[in-house]
């Protein structure tokens, strides 16, 4: 089963409505090649699970984990934070070897 901290972070946003979009089945966590350091996290609404995606459901919220990102995300903790200026997901990934100056991309 996938890291429960990621699932709990997504479920904690349920009251904000961020996990809901008409026609969407849930949120998908993936990693894309992008940025100055190579990889970046991507959260998007998902309509269906791809063939090898891991699907976790808790408290009525479905989280789809992109199969290509599973090895990169092992051990990752994710939190949802809100302050006066922003609301965002924060990733704490023990596999990261380096990050860019702005913190938007990373390498493993």
């Amino acid at each position: 089963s996938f890291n429960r901290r990621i699932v709990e972070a997504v479920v904690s946003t349920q009251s904000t409505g961020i996990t809901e979009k008409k026609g969407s089945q849930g949120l998908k966590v993936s990693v894309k090649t992008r940025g100055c350091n190579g990889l970046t996290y991507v959260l998007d609404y998902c309509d269906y699970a791809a063939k090898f995606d891991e699907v976790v459901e808790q408290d009525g919220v479905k989280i789809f984990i992109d199969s290509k990102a599973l090895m990169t995300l092992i051990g990752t903790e994710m939190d949802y934070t809100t302050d006066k200026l922003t609301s965002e997901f924060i990733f704490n990934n023990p596999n990261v070897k380096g990050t860019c100056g702005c913190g938007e991309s990373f390498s493993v």
Side-chain angles (χ1 to χ4, degrees):
S1 177
F2 197 71
N3 187 316
R4 298 314 269 172
R5 283 290 300 258
I6 289 180
V7 175
E8 290 166 2
V10 173
V11 169
S12 74
T13 67
Q14 199 169 14
S15 65
T16 67
I18 198 170
T19 58
E20 300 172 11
K21 178 183 173 195
K22 190 171 183 152
S24 171
Q25 296 296 310
L27 288 178
K28 186 167 191 166
V29 180
S30 58
V31 175
K32 301 287 183 194
T33 302
R34 185 168 70 196
C36 56
N37 224 337
L39 299 170
T40 189
Y41 301 105
V42 177
L43 290 171
D44 205 354
Y45 294 103
C46 186
D47 298 330
Y48 61 91
K51 188 172 184 178
F52 296 107
D53 287 353
E54 183 164 339
V55 181
V56 181
E57 187 169 358
Q58 182 176 322
D59 298 330
V61 177
K62 280 188 184 178
I63 299 99
F64 300 83
I65 311 299
D66 188 321
S67 62
K68 294 175 276 213
L70 280 173
M71 295 307 288
T72 305
L73 293 171
I74 287 177
T76 299
E77 293 181 353
M78 185 171 101
D79 287 310
Y80 185 73
T81 63
T82 301
D83 61 30
K84 291 181 181 180
L85 298 175
T86 62
S87 295
E88 63 184 339
F89 286 102
I90 304 292
F91 291 85
N92 180 13
N93 187 337
N95 306 305
V96 169
K97 302 295 184 227
T99 59
C100 66
C102 66
E104 292 295 319
S105 64
F106 65 95
S107 60
V108 288

